[in-house]
Amino acid sequence: MNDWHSWAAVVVFVGAYALIISEKIHRVAVALGGAALMLAIGATDDKSAFYSEHSGVDWNVIFLLMGMMMIVGVLKKTGMFEYLAIWSVKRARAKPFRVMAMLVVITAVASALLDNVTTVLLIAPVTLLVCERLALPATPFLVAEVMASNIGGTATLVGDPPNIIIASRAGLTFNDFLVHLAPISAVLLVVLVLMCRVMFRKSFIYDEDRAAEIMALEEREAIRDPRLLVQGLIVLALVVAGFVLHPVLHYEPSVVALLGAGLLIAVSSAETGDVLKEVEWPTLAFFAGLFIMIGGLIETGVIGEISKQLADTIGDNELGGSMTLLSASAVLSGIVDNIPYVATMAPITSDLVQNMGGGSDHVMWWALALGADLGGNATAIGASANVVVLGIAERNRQPISFWQFTKYGMVVTAVTVAIALGYVWLRYFALA
């Protein structure tokens, strides 16, 4: 880090991060401004920013979001989300905590089967309608669901984008993730539900009149366009199948989502212009800017230097190394998005595993996955799902501030990471 470009890149990133935290300037303007400065000072260039898989905009994330937002936009016109909102409230007897617990569990399970970004895109509209019907603040419910999506996504190879990167680099299978990470994810989900009961207790206000109104509703009456609903659900089922069959079909999730969106628009009566209006363009712009800023840190060697220092600290001590890697990954993934972080750490972790003679049960890889996935809950920009939900909330005039999210995120991350450290020690060392 002797080059001035490295220090300039750090100054730009820290300055942008401070502005995002302060919320004095909109986060999209800050991200795009920071990206422009990274290009202006030469920390990165157009080829790296727009075409590099390692340090550029992750177009797979951008187009996955765009495709799923278009599909969700069509489904919103059918009344499906109103149907699900009424159905879920009635099943929970309109009790706020029961509703939250139900949505949290559904979100976590769906995130394991699909991916956490797709899940929150589908669940967030339902949540907003549920909260509107029950006259409840939406923020606690949305924050709880984001955290559930990141915890649930930890359980499988397809649940969280960092897991896909790790699986590719380490040669791990879907079943490997299921055997090693699903058990701890299930435990952490139970812990999260219990924590929600305490953290959000002031939000669980039961309104008998509103509850009675909803219990009297017939959810089927909420469906406005049955034909479009059937078309949308068929396409959504095909898209989900495409995600699950990724190891066989080898289509990236972004390609599957775009194919699904295109097919749905082609076969349905939905107007292309109306569907495109449902895309959260500011969220996509924020991601692009964030990726370029982090790319500037990668290109100038800043992240590489941090990773090297971490590797030197770990050495060939597998127990200390796994504990350090998990903890450090949780901290760093809360500061930078966990996708570029894992992309940078994957080759370094591979070298660490080789230095340790191959490692036992891939423990270093599980430590990286747990740290990155759970650490994504720490701040509002720690994981892709967080940013997506903040964008949806803002669009629906229920904005969630950086600190509103982070004050809960840091507590949940601290508790879940501590439990994960205990799990790694117990399973791979104490009982090995």
Side-chain angles (χ1 to χ4, degrees):
M1 280 186 58
N2 295 325
D3 184 58
W4 74 269
H5 287 100
S6 302
W7 292 107
V10 170
V11 169
V12 170
F13 184 81
V14 171
Y17 205 88
L19 286 173
I20 290 171
I21 292 173
S22 72
E23 298 183 323
K24 293 187 182 299
I25 302 175
H26 197 281
R27 65 178 182 275
V28 177
V30 173
L32 292 177
L37 283 174
M38 286 291 192
L39 289 163
I41 65 175
T44 186
D45 57 26
D46 59 321
K47 289 184 179 178
S48 297
F50 303 123
Y51 303 108
S52 172
E53 288 186 16
H54 179 60
S55 61
V57 175
D58 192 331
W59 296 111
N60 278 317
V61 172
I62 299 293
F63 285 113
L64 168 64
L65 289 171
M66 181 179 169
M68 292 310 300
M69 285 173 179
M70 291 169 71
I71 292 171
V72 169
V74 174
L75 289 173
K76 279 173 71 174
K77 299 178 185 299
T78 67
M80 184 185 89
F81 296 122
E82 288 89 338
Y83 173 94
L84 291 173
I86 296 167
W87 179 88
S88 61
V89 171
K90 288 175 74 172
R91 293 298 173 278
R93 310 300 299 174
K95 298 292 179 64
F97 176 65
R98 288 186 189 176
V99 172
M100 178 180 281
M102 177 186 287
L103 292 173
V104 161
V105 171
I106 290 171
T107 301
V109 173
S111 293
L113 298 175
L114 304 174
D115 66 86
N116 52 9
V117 172
T118 301
T119 300
V120 296
L121 280 168
L122 294 170
I123 296 290
V126 177
T127 305
L128 289 164
L129 288 166
V130 165
C131 293
E132 182 183 334
R133 293 275 187 178
L134 293 176
L136 295 169
T139 296
F141 288 79
L142 292 172
V143 169
E145 286 163 12
V146 171
M147 293 176 184
S149 76
N150 288 325
I151 289 171
T154 304
T156 66
L157 188 156
V158 298
D160 210 356
N163 290 6
I164 297 172
I165 298 170
I166 289 169
S168 175
R169 190 83 192 194
L172 299 169
T173 66
F174 188 93
N175 287 340
D176 288 330
F177 276 85
L178 209 58
V179 168
H180 291 270
L181 296 188
I184 183 62
S185 295
V187 171
L188 295 178
L189 178 60
V190 174
V191 171
L192 175 65
V193 171
L194 295 174
M195 290 183 72
C196 287
R197 186 73 181 91
V198 177
M199 292 190 303
F200 304 123
R201 60 188 180 279
K202 293 180 181 177
S203 302
F204 302 135
I205 302 167
Y206 181 67
D207 186 324
E208 283 193 31
D209 293 335
R210 283 184 174 267
E213 287 177 15
I214 294 180
M215 296 304 291
L217 291 174
E218 176 53 57
E219 53 264 44
R220 291 189 179 183
E221 293 177 4
I223 302 299
R224 298 188 292 271
D225 191 334
R227 177 183 170 84
L228 184 60
L229 176 61
V230 171
Q231 293 171 330
L233 289 177
I234 290 172
V235 169
L236 182 61
L238 290 172
V239 168
V240 171
F243 290 158
V244 175
L245 294 174
H246 170 72
V248 178
L249 300 176
H250 303 295
Y251 284 130
E252 289 297 325
S254 55
V255 175
V256 174
L258 286 175
L259 285 171
L263 176 63
L264 185 53
I265 292 173
V267 302
S268 71
S269 58
E271 290 290 334
T272 306
D274 291 340
V275 174
L276 289 174
K277 287 177 184 176
E278 296 295 330
V279 174
E280 303 280 342
W281 298 109
T283 299
L284 301 186
F286 177 79
F287 270 119
L290 188 63
F291 281 131
I292 292 172
M293 281 201 296
I294 295 169
L297 296 180
I298 294 171
E299 286 292 318
T300 54
V302 175
I303 289 181
E305 181 64 26
I306 294 171
S307 302
K308 183 176 179 296
Q309 292 297 325
L310 179 60
D312 290 343
T313 302
I314 290 171
D316 58 359
N317 180 353
E318 192 171 35
L319 172 58
S322 59
M323 298 292 112
T324 303
L325 181 59
L326 199 161
S327 303
S329 295
V331 173
L332 292 171
S333 289
I335 298 171
V336 299
D337 187 277
N338 56 13
I339 296 173
Y341 169 74
V342 168
T344 304
M345 275 305 297
I348 294 166
T349 304
S350 181
D351 291 341
L352 287 171
V353 171
Q354 291 301 316
N355 293 340
M356 294 172 186
S360 58
D361 281 331
H362 303 288
V363 62
M364 295 299 289
W365 292 110
W366 304 133
L368 176 62
L370 284 167
D373 293 346
L374 299 177
N377 274 333
T379 69
I381 61 172
S384 303
N386 311 13
V387 178
V388 170
V389 167
L390 260 63
I392 293 171
E394 184 176 23
R395 183 165 185 166
N396 286 273
R397 296 185 179 85
Q398 301 210 42
I400 301 171
S401 73
F402 182 92
W403 286 114
Q404 264 183 305
F405 184 99
T406 304
K407 70 180 180 181
Y408 297 117
M410 286 188 169
V411 174
V412 170
T413 300
V415 172
T416 54
V417 168
I419 294 171
L421 286 167
Y423 170 77
V424 170
W425 172 77
L426 190 65
R427 176 163 182 172
Y428 301 107
F429 298 99
L431 300 179

